[in-house]
Amino acid sequence: MFTGLVEEKGRVVRLADVGDSVRLTVHGPLAVDGAEHGDSISVSGVCLTVVERDGESFTADVMKQTLVMSTLGDLEPGLPVNLERAARVGDRLGGHIVQGHVDGTASVLETEEGDAWRRVRLSLADDLSPLLVDKGSVTLDGVSLTVSGISEPGVEEGWFEVSLIPETLAATTLGDKAPGDRVNVETDVLARHVRRMLALDATAGAHRSGRAS
């Protein structure tokens, strides 16, 4: 479990193919401070398990499904990543509840600079559209953010927006994103549960109607 408050920008050191998975090594002095084998670290929003630790770096295995679902499949040595250690019981929840289970990716469509912020518009896949709401929470590359704008239902090309303050631009990789770049998206866990419950209720209702007829 994470909060979406990035602790540091790490750097990809090495990627090694292991069958249909990848062994990823990341340099992150703060992230590995106190980390043990089996601990969880969020890497650009993806929850990974530490399998090795060496000085200021850690290694984790990334399975094929994760490579396909997220931007981790695009990583190369030297690229920056957002890092956050798992939250501890009793910590302040400064962001929101983040699982590190990526729902998919979004592409940056456009950006607009303000006096002290940057507005970023991103693509919104049809399957994720029901899970985002204006003023609701979303996680992009492991960063807890608030949806500041979203397209109306039924539009041909869905989109949503977030506004980034200078601290977020400087402390995370989101400050380097430009139109065409992809980011990992995790929707709010509550929204996911509600959608599942509604789907089950609709299915049960259809079964009841079928028996009644």
PDB file of all heavy atoms in Angstrom, residues 97-113:
ATOM      1  N   ILE A  97      -5.125   6.397  -0.981  1.00  0.00           N
ATOM      2  CA  ILE A  97      -4.744   4.987  -0.950  1.00  0.00           C
ATOM      3  C   ILE A  97      -4.393   4.511  -2.361  1.00  0.00           C
ATOM      4  O   ILE A  97      -5.227   4.534  -3.265  1.00  0.00           O
ATOM      5  CB  ILE A  97      -5.876   4.128  -0.370  1.00  0.00           C
ATOM      6  CG1 ILE A  97      -6.104   4.506   1.098  1.00  0.00           C
ATOM      7  CG2 ILE A  97      -5.544   2.647  -0.488  1.00  0.00           C
ATOM      8  CD1 ILE A  97      -7.276   3.797   1.738  1.00  0.00           C
ATOM      9  N   VAL A  98      -3.148   4.102  -2.530  1.00  0.00           N
ATOM     10  CA  VAL A  98      -2.631   3.646  -3.821  1.00  0.00           C
ATOM     11  C   VAL A  98      -2.133   2.218  -3.659  1.00  0.00           C
ATOM     12  O   VAL A  98      -1.374   1.917  -2.742  1.00  0.00           O
ATOM     13  CB  VAL A  98      -1.481   4.557  -4.308  1.00  0.00           C
ATOM     14  CG1 VAL A  98      -0.901   4.036  -5.618  1.00  0.00           C
ATOM     15  CG2 VAL A  98      -1.973   5.997  -4.464  1.00  0.00           C
ATOM     16  N   GLN A  99      -2.553   1.333  -4.540  1.00  0.00           N
ATOM     17  CA  GLN A  99      -2.172  -0.074  -4.445  1.00  0.00           C
ATOM     18  C   GLN A  99      -0.936  -0.424  -5.254  1.00  0.00           C
ATOM     19  O   GLN A  99      -0.282  -1.426  -4.989  1.00  0.00           O
ATOM     20  CB  GLN A  99      -3.338  -0.962  -4.891  1.00  0.00           C
ATOM     21  CG  GLN A  99      -4.561  -0.889  -3.981  1.00  0.00           C
ATOM     22  CD  GLN A  99      -5.643  -1.824  -4.455  1.00  0.00           C
ATOM     23  OE1 GLN A  99      -6.098  -1.745  -5.599  1.00  0.00           O
ATOM     24  NE2 GLN A  99      -6.058  -2.727  -3.595  1.00  0.00           N
ATOM     25  N   GLY A 100      -0.635   0.374  -6.267  1.00  0.00           N
ATOM     26  CA  GLY A 100       0.460   0.011  -7.158  1.00  0.00           C
ATOM     27  C   GLY A 100       0.039  -0.998  -8.205  1.00  0.00           C
ATOM     28  O   GLY A 100       0.877  -1.659  -8.817  1.00  0.00           O
ATOM     29  N   HIS A 101      -1.282  -1.120  -8.411  1.00  0.00           N
ATOM     30  CA  HIS A 101      -1.842  -2.020  -9.416  1.00  0.00           C
ATOM     31  C   HIS A 101      -2.349  -1.180 -10.584  1.00  0.00           C
ATOM     32  O   HIS A 101      -3.443  -0.620 -10.528  1.00  0.00           O
ATOM     33  CB  HIS A 101      -2.977  -2.857  -8.831  1.00  0.00           C
ATOM     34  CG  HIS A 101      -2.565  -3.664  -7.652  1.00  0.00           C
ATOM     35  ND1 HIS A 101      -3.457  -4.212  -6.762  1.00  0.00           N
ATOM     36  CD2 HIS A 101      -1.332  -4.031  -7.201  1.00  0.00           C
ATOM     37  CE1 HIS A 101      -2.809  -4.870  -5.814  1.00  0.00           C
ATOM     38  NE2 HIS A 101      -1.520  -4.770  -6.063  1.00  0.00           N
ATOM     39  N   VAL A 102      -1.541  -1.069 -11.621  1.00  0.00           N
ATOM     40  CA  VAL A 102      -1.830  -0.178 -12.742  1.00  0.00           C
ATOM     41  C   VAL A 102      -2.995  -0.712 -13.572  1.00  0.00           C
ATOM     42  O   VAL A 102      -3.059  -1.894 -13.900  1.00  0.00           O
ATOM     43  CB  VAL A 102      -0.574  -0.013 -13.622  1.00  0.00           C
ATOM     44  CG1 VAL A 102      -0.900   0.747 -14.897  1.00  0.00           C
ATOM     45  CG2 VAL A 102       0.511   0.718 -12.840  1.00  0.00           C
ATOM     46  N   ASP A 103      -3.937   0.204 -13.900  1.00  0.00           N
ATOM     47  CA  ASP A 103      -5.089  -0.164 -14.727  1.00  0.00           C
ATOM     48  C   ASP A 103      -4.782  -0.078 -16.217  1.00  0.00           C
ATOM     49  O   ASP A 103      -5.476  -0.682 -17.027  1.00  0.00           O
ATOM     50  CB  ASP A 103      -6.269   0.768 -14.422  1.00  0.00           C
ATOM     51  CG  ASP A 103      -6.794   0.576 -13.009  1.00  0.00           C
ATOM     52  OD1 ASP A 103      -7.234  -0.533 -12.689  1.00  0.00           O
ATOM     53  OD2 ASP A 103      -6.738   1.540 -12.222  1.00  0.00           O
ATOM     54  N   GLY A 104      -3.782   0.708 -16.576  1.00  0.00           N
ATOM     55  CA  GLY A 104      -3.446   0.904 -17.980  1.00  0.00           C
ATOM     56  C   GLY A 104      -2.567   2.140 -18.119  1.00  0.00           C
ATOM     57  O   GLY A 104      -1.969   2.597 -17.144  1.00  0.00           O
ATOM     58  N   THR A 105      -2.512   2.668 -19.310  1.00  0.00           N
ATOM     59  CA  THR A 105      -1.690   3.856 -19.558  1.00  0.00           C
ATOM     60  C   THR A 105      -2.528   4.942 -20.229  1.00  0.00           C
ATOM     61  O   THR A 105      -3.601   4.681 -20.767  1.00  0.00           O
ATOM     62  CB  THR A 105      -0.472   3.537 -20.445  1.00  0.00           C
ATOM     63  OG1 THR A 105      -0.934   3.117 -21.744  1.00  0.00           O
ATOM     64  CG2 THR A 105       0.383   2.442 -19.821  1.00  0.00           C
ATOM     65  N   ALA A 106      -2.012   6.163 -20.172  1.00  0.00           N
ATOM     66  CA  ALA A 106      -2.619   7.299 -20.868  1.00  0.00           C
ATOM     67  C   ALA A 106      -1.511   8.065 -21.559  1.00  0.00           C
ATOM     68  O   ALA A 106      -0.366   8.078 -21.105  1.00  0.00           O
ATOM     69  CB  ALA A 106      -3.363   8.203 -19.883  1.00  0.00           C
ATOM     70  N   SER A 107      -1.851   8.712 -22.656  1.00  0.00           N
ATOM     71  CA  SER A 107      -0.882   9.521 -23.396  1.00  0.00           C
ATOM     72  C   SER A 107      -1.132  10.993 -23.148  1.00  0.00           C
ATOM     73  O   SER A 107      -2.287  11.441 -23.090  1.00  0.00           O
ATOM     74  CB  SER A 107      -0.989   9.243 -24.901  1.00  0.00           C
ATOM     75  OG  SER A 107      -0.653   7.906 -25.197  1.00  0.00           O
ATOM     76  N   VAL A 108      -0.064  11.745 -22.994  1.00  0.00           N
ATOM     77  CA  VAL A 108      -0.176  13.192 -22.845  1.00  0.00           C
ATOM     78  C   VAL A 108      -0.636  13.783 -24.180  1.00  0.00           C
ATOM     79  O   VAL A 108      -0.007  13.568 -25.217  1.00  0.00           O
ATOM     80  CB  VAL A 108       1.164  13.821 -22.419  1.00  0.00           C
ATOM     81  CG1 VAL A 108       1.040  15.346 -22.360  1.00  0.00           C
ATOM     82  CG2 VAL A 108       1.605  13.264 -21.070  1.00  0.00           C
ATOM     83  N   LEU A 109      -1.745  14.518 -24.150  1.00  0.00           N
ATOM     84  CA  LEU A 109      -2.281  15.140 -25.361  1.00  0.00           C
ATOM     85  C   LEU A 109      -1.763  16.562 -25.531  1.00  0.00           C
ATOM     86  O   LEU A 109      -1.392  16.974 -26.634  1.00  0.00           O
ATOM     87  CB  LEU A 109      -3.810  15.147 -25.316  1.00  0.00           C
ATOM     88  CG  LEU A 109      -4.486  13.767 -25.228  1.00  0.00           C
ATOM     89  CD1 LEU A 109      -5.996  13.935 -25.111  1.00  0.00           C
ATOM     90  CD2 LEU A 109      -4.123  12.911 -26.440  1.00  0.00           C
ATOM     91  N   GLU A 110      -1.768  17.324 -24.442  1.00  0.00           N
ATOM     92  CA  GLU A 110      -1.288  18.707 -24.510  1.00  0.00           C
ATOM     93  C   GLU A 110      -0.987  19.199 -23.107  1.00  0.00           C
ATOM     94  O   GLU A 110      -1.457  18.639 -22.115  1.00  0.00           O
ATOM     95  CB  GLU A 110      -2.322  19.616 -25.159  1.00  0.00           C
ATOM     96  CG  GLU A 110      -3.640  19.688 -24.422  1.00  0.00           C
ATOM     97  CD  GLU A 110      -4.658  20.574 -25.119  1.00  0.00           C
ATOM     98  OE1 GLU A 110      -5.046  20.248 -26.260  1.00  0.00           O
ATOM     99  OE2 GLU A 110      -5.047  21.604 -24.517  1.00  0.00           O
ATOM    100  N   THR A 111      -0.194  20.264 -23.031  1.00  0.00           N
ATOM    101  CA  THR A 111       0.110  20.893 -21.747  1.00  0.00           C
ATOM    102  C   THR A 111      -0.078  22.398 -21.882  1.00  0.00           C
ATOM    103  O   THR A 111       0.043  22.963 -22.980  1.00  0.00           O
ATOM    104  CB  THR A 111       1.554  20.608 -21.295  1.00  0.00           C
ATOM    105  OG1 THR A 111       2.474  21.177 -22.236  1.00  0.00           O
ATOM    106  CG2 THR A 111       1.800  19.109 -21.192  1.00  0.00           C
ATOM    107  N   GLU A 112      -0.378  23.037 -20.759  1.00  0.00           N
ATOM    108  CA  GLU A 112      -0.536  24.486 -20.740  1.00  0.00           C
ATOM    109  C   GLU A 112       0.126  25.024 -19.487  1.00  0.00           C
ATOM    110  O   GLU A 112      -0.131  24.547 -18.378  1.00  0.00           O
ATOM    111  CB  GLU A 112      -2.015  24.872 -20.728  1.00  0.00           C
ATOM    112  CG  GLU A 112      -2.255  26.376 -20.641  1.00  0.00           C
ATOM    113  CD  GLU A 112      -3.724  26.727 -20.466  1.00  0.00           C
ATOM    114  OE1 GLU A 112      -4.564  25.809 -20.556  1.00  0.00           O
ATOM    115  OE2 GLU A 112      -4.015  27.907 -20.213  1.00  0.00           O
ATOM    116  N   GLU A 113       1.000  25.998 -19.668  1.00  0.00           N
ATOM    117  CA  GLU A 113       1.723  26.574 -18.551  1.00  0.00           C
ATOM    118  C   GLU A 113       0.917  27.705 -17.909  1.00  0.00           C
ATOM    119  O   GLU A 113       0.405  28.582 -18.602  1.00  0.00           O
ATOM    120  CB  GLU A 113       3.080  27.124 -19.016  1.00  0.00           C
ATOM    121  CG  GLU A 113       3.998  26.090 -19.633  1.00  0.00           C
ATOM    122  CD  GLU A 113       4.445  25.031 -18.658  1.00  0.00           C
ATOM    123  OE1 GLU A 113       4.481  25.314 -17.438  1.00  0.00           O
ATOM    124  OE2 GLU A 113       4.753  23.915 -19.096  1.00  0.00           O
TER     125      GLU A 113
END
